[in-house]
Amino acid sequence: EEIDDGKDIVYDFQERRVEDILKAMEYAKLNSIVNRQCNCGDNCLEYSQAIVSASENHGIPDGILLLALMMQESSCRKDTQSDSSFGLMQINPTYWCNQDAGLPSDVESCKNVLLTNYEKNINAGAYILRKNYDAGSANFKGCTFEKTYYGWESALRRYNGLGCNPNYPAQDYFVPQVMERYLKLVELLD
């Protein structure tokens, strides 16, 4: 890995084809990648197509990055939900359904779309990731460390939150886990 002016690791992001994403997903169905599998079932091809489309539409530099994020958030299960977030990309409807993420503004309708429409969920995740990237660097004050993130690492940090979650301090390691998974998935394609 190359360090760019001491601020950001330079990743070899590449535009990916559906076949690339599908190959990574199929591998991750059978193998744990940084403690996550991709439980896409019979939907792997459809999810791969949606990842490529959303990456192109929102300027995500590599669909494998979106896949690594989706694996972190839901292990590729479209019905995943927490107290506040829903679907493959774990979108928070209270915040994002009122924004320009292509989702209904009514929170209950939005929750339903996030849980049943994988394309809209993946597209919203890509929209949020891009919006976070455009926001610039992120100063993170976690439970166990503080750090300034740059570039796509900043986008990921903002996606998950900028502060300590005392109920789940392991979230401090969200960015390193997603990026380690990204690098391992990319190795499969080389």
Side-chain angles (χ1 to χ4, degrees), residues 3 42 65 186:
I3 302 296
D42 296 331
L65 180 63
V186 166

Side-chain angles (χ1 to χ4, degrees), residues 49-76:
Q49 292 167 333
I51 286 170
V52 168
S53 176
S55 295
E56 290 171 355
N57 291 341
H58 296 290
I60 306 302
D62 192 328
I64 297 292
L65 180 63
L66 214 49
L67 172 58
L69 174 58
M70 186 168 83
M71 288 175 67
Q72 182 76 16
E73 291 290 2
S74 69
S75 296
C76 305

Side-chain angles (χ1 to χ4, degrees), residues 13 21 26 128 152 167 178:
F13 292 126
I21 307 297
E26 292 289 349
I128 294 164
W152 290 101
N167 297 323
V178 172

Side-chain angles (χ1 to χ4, degrees), residues 31 44 79-80 93 112 131 156 158 166:
N31 301 280
C44 297
D79 60 349
T80 299
N112 183 51
K131 189 172 177 112
L156 290 167
R158 288 176 184 281

Side-chain angles (χ1 to χ4, degrees), residues 16-27:
R16 305 289 175 177
R17 298 169 302 144
V18 170
E19 296 79 20
D20 299 328
I21 307 297
L22 184 58
K23 179 180 177 181
M25 271 190 178
E26 292 289 349
Y27 181 84

Side-chain angles (χ1 to χ4, degrees), residues 6-105:
K7 289 184 177 179
D8 198 9
I9 297 171
V10 177
Y11 295 98
D12 185 23
F13 292 126
Q14 296 179 26
E15 189 173 312
R16 305 289 175 177
R17 298 169 302 144
V18 170
E19 296 79 20
D20 299 328
I21 307 297
L22 184 58
K23 179 180 177 181
M25 271 190 178
E26 292 289 349
Y27 181 84
K29 272 175 73 169
L30 304 173
N31 301 280
S32 179
I33 313 287
V34 191
N35 301 316
R36 294 282 195 281
Q37 285 186 273
C38 187
N39 299 298
C40 52
D42 296 331
N43 300 313
C44 297
L45 177 59
E46 291 83 1
Y47 292 176
S48 298
Q49 292 167 333
I51 286 170
V52 168
S53 176
S55 295
E56 290 171 355
N57 291 341
H58 296 290
I60 306 302
D62 192 328
I64 297 292
L65 180 63
L66 214 49
L67 172 58
L69 174 58
M70 186 168 83
M71 288 175 67
Q72 182 76 16
E73 291 290 2
S74 69
S75 296
C76 305
R77 289 188 188 102
K78 80 175 190 173
D79 60 349
T80 299
Q81 52 187 307
S82 67
D83 292 341
S84 62
S85 301
F86 297 84
L88 290 164
M89 303 300 289
Q90 287 295 279
I91 309 299
N92 183 328
T94 305
Y95 185 75
W96 289 107
C97 293
N98 303 334
Q99 303 290 322
D100 189 26
L103 298 167
S105 58

